[in-house]
Amino acid sequence: IAYWTSSNPCYDGSAVAPRHPMKAFVYCDYGQADVLKLEDVEKPAPAADEVLVKVRAAAVNPLDWHYMRGTPYFMRMQTGLRRPKVIRLGVDFAGTVEATGSDVTQFKPGDAVFGGKTGAFAQYVVVRQDRVVSKPDNLSFEQAASVPIAAITALQSLRDRGKVQPGQKVLINGASGGVGTFAVQIAKSLGAQVTGVCSTRNVDLVRSLGADQVIDYKKQDYTVADQRYDVIVDNVGNRSLSENRRVLAENGKYILVGGGGPDDHRWIGPMGRVAHAYAASTFGSQELGMFLAQMKKEDLVVLRDLLAAGKVKPVIDRRYDFSDLPVAIRYLEEGHARGKVVIAVE
Ligand code: NDP
């Protein structure tokens, strides 16, 4: 959605009232969660290869507060230097198909679906049919909405970058968060021996997800141990590269998925570590690097099958009403969610 369209509520000239209004969260300036406004915007219509989905639930991800705050600052090269170019937020959603474009063959009105599309914090989204899959019957809309970004990140980092094999030792740092709760379960489904790192209050949760060992970071530093891991998925980025290498097997893979909080404007720490990782990866047999997930339909299908079979279960920490999205984002920004934070949209 371009910033300057006339029906755009951020347009400070002659904003035109939407002809077919729906409620959506918009943000006209970067900042803390109070920049989010619930506005009437034009309800979208599906193009030929798109479906119109009535959103029933959405999930909040750190990506949302990164976009909302425009941090780390280098992101603004893409998202808009002074103000956000795209004023809609949210990606993960689940809901029911309301209408389909003329070329859509895979869905019909009434189908329950989930997927990822920018602008999900709204009553409706239009999404290409190759970005959405049917919702398993054993999942609620809120559970399904919690899946896309976090579970795809977990799946792709472990399977594609980590190339995890049965019997390998895998460590998940940040095992109790959105990505981590999926990563523990997916690593188990790949046959790995899993160690999860979390704080004292989350030890039982991480163990209940299938972790073979749990390290309580309040009591023990995972980088100070005799253990060696074949794959480390790091959702926190709070230890240096050399500290991680101490516990990485000779041919092991260190995968930096996340790091940095809302006030880390420059993100020098994790970025520096990535540069260091790539430099270091050209020497020696260990692979070290950053990972960026991609929303792919075939991976949503893999996840749907794992979810339908009960091999992976979403962990929902908190549920908020649609109008309380800013409260939900503030909570996620604290960095201590236990699983996923979801929004019920009516
Ligand atoms: P969450 O906000 O859900 O993670 C919060 C979790 O982190 C809490 O359970 C918390 O546990 C845990 N945590 C905080 N500090 C520590 C610590 N020192 N050691 C271990 N665990 C800790 O975030 P997500 O899981 O959704 O995302 C994780 C990171 O991955 C973020 O930085 C996000 O931006 C990034 N990300 C990257 C993607 C990519 O493509 N590269 C895609 C998706 C996310 P406790 O309360 O016990 O401290």
Side-chain angles (χ1 to χ4, degrees), residues 99-136:
T100 57
S102 53
D103 294 348
V104 172
T105 51
Q106 299 169 25
F107 300 101
K108 58 181 187 326
D111 286 351
V113 295
F114 71 104
K117 174 71 193 288
T118 300
F121 297 147
Q123 288 178 312
Y124 294 88
V125 283
V126 284
V127 57
R128 281 198 339 234
Q129 61 174 337
D130 63 359
R131 283 293 195 93
V132 73
V133 295
S134 58
K135 179 181 80 63

Side-chain angles (χ1 to χ4, degrees), residues 230-282:
D230 300 297
V231 175
I232 295 176
V233 170
D234 189 354
N235 302 315
V236 187
N238 59 330
R239 287 283 171 269
S240 71
L241 190 64
S242 50
E243 287 170 321
N244 276 291
R245 292 186 76 178
R246 275 206 302 254
V247 284
L248 198 58
E250 199 180 324
N251 296 308
K253 299 182 177 69
Y254 168 76
I255 303 160
L256 179 61
V257 167
D263 296 322
D264 294 337
H265 300 305
R266 294 179 304 275
W267 220 47
I268 296 271
M271 286 297 281
R273 247 167 271 146
V274 172
H276 185 179
Y278 280 111
S281 67
T282 58

Side-chain angles (χ1 to χ4, degrees), residues 77-98:
M77 304 285 282
Q78 187 201 346
T79 62
L81 286 178
R82 280 193 323 112
R83 300 169 108 183
K85 283 192 275 194
V86 175
I87 61 162
R88 294 273 303 281
L89 213 57
V91 176
D92 290 346
F93 69 86
T96 45
V97 173
E98 181 152 302

Side-chain angles (χ1 to χ4, degrees), residues 17-332:
R19 288 176 57 212
H20 307 99
M22 69 162 187
K23 295 281 183 206
F25 273 94
V26 303
Y27 69 123
C28 302
D29 293 292
Y30 294 120
Q32 300 183 16
D34 31 293
V35 297
L36 297 173
K37 307 285 180 223
L38 192 55
E39 298 280 357
D40 282 332
V41 302
E42 186 69 27
K43 180 179 168 184
D49 63 343
E50 290 178 334
V51 295
L52 173 69
V53 177
K54 178 171 170 36
V55 177
R56 301 284 302 276
V60 183
N61 289 283
L63 182 77
D64 299 316
W65 56 252
H66 280 299
Y67 275 100
M68 182 186 80
R69 288 175 174 255
T71 59
Y73 286 144
F74 69 80
M75 265 183 56
R76 298 189 187 190
M77 304 285 282
Q78 187 201 346
T79 62
L81 286 178
R82 280 193 323 112
R83 300 169 108 183
K85 283 192 275 194
V86 175
I87 61 162
R88 294 273 303 281
L89 213 57
V91 176
D92 290 346
F93 69 86
T96 45
V97 173
E98 181 152 302
T100 57
S102 53
D103 294 348
V104 172
T105 51
Q106 299 169 25
F107 300 101
K108 58 181 187 326
D111 286 351
V113 295
F114 71 104
K117 174 71 193 288
T118 300
F121 297 147
Q123 288 178 312
Y124 294 88
V125 283
V126 284
V127 57
R128 281 198 339 234
Q129 61 174 337
D130 63 359
R131 283 293 195 93
V132 73
V133 295
S134 58
K135 179 181 80 63
D137 292 339
N138 60 337
L139 254 57
S140 67
F141 285 105
E142 289 167 14
Q143 288 173 313
S146 77
V147 170
I149 288 187
I152 279 198
T153 304
L155 176 70
Q156 293 177 352
S157 60
L158 289 159
R159 181 198 61 190
D160 303 343
R161 180 65 71 82
K163 299 195 168 38
V164 170
Q165 301 298 315
Q168 283 193 320
K169 292 193 168 80
V170 172
L171 179 131
I172 314 288
N173 189 27
S176 55
V179 175
T181 47
F182 283 114
V184 169
Q185 299 179 74
I186 292 170
K188 283 307 292 178
S189 79
L190 293 170
Q193 281 183 51
V194 179
T195 300
V197 182
C198 62
S199 67
T200 315
R201 73 186 182 113
N202 291 322
V203 167
D204 289 345
L205 166 70
V206 172
R207 196 168 281 130
S208 76
L209 298 173
D212 301 283
Q213 288 174 25
V214 182
I215 296 176
D216 176 349
Y217 73 77
K218 301 266 187 195
K219 297 179 180 159
Q220 190 190 340
D221 179 345
Y222 78 89
T223 65
V224 181
D226 291 335
Q227 193 63 256
R228 292 285 175 276
Y229 300 97
D230 300 297
V231 175
I232 295 176
V233 170
D234 189 354
N235 302 315
V236 187
N238 59 330
R239 287 283 171 269
S240 71
L241 190 64
S242 50
E243 287 170 321
N244 276 291
R245 292 186 76 178
R246 275 206 302 254
V247 284
L248 198 58
E250 199 180 324
N251 296 308
K253 299 182 177 69
Y254 168 76
I255 303 160
L256 179 61
V257 167
D263 296 322
D264 294 337
H265 300 305
R266 294 179 304 275
W267 220 47
I268 296 271
M271 286 297 281
R273 247 167 271 146
V274 172
H276 185 179
Y278 280 111
S281 67
T282 58
F283 305 97
S285 55
Q286 295 171 331
E287 275 182 36
L288 313 125
M290 189 180 175
F291 174 78
L292 271 183
Q294 281 185 299
M295 190 66 69
K296 290 183 183 168
K297 177 154 181 160
E298 61 262 36
D299 287 340
L300 286 175
V301 170
V302 169
L303 291 166
R304 181 190 60 198
D305 293 347
L306 286 169
L307 292 156
K311 292 184 179 166
V312 171
K313 292 184 181 144
V315 177
I316 306 292
D317 177 2
R318 292 191 183 184
R319 170 199 175 282
Y320 291 86
D321 289 340
F322 187 34
S323 57
D324 286 333
L325 174 72
V327 186
I329 291 196
R330 276 189 210 104
Y331 173 64
L332 191 73

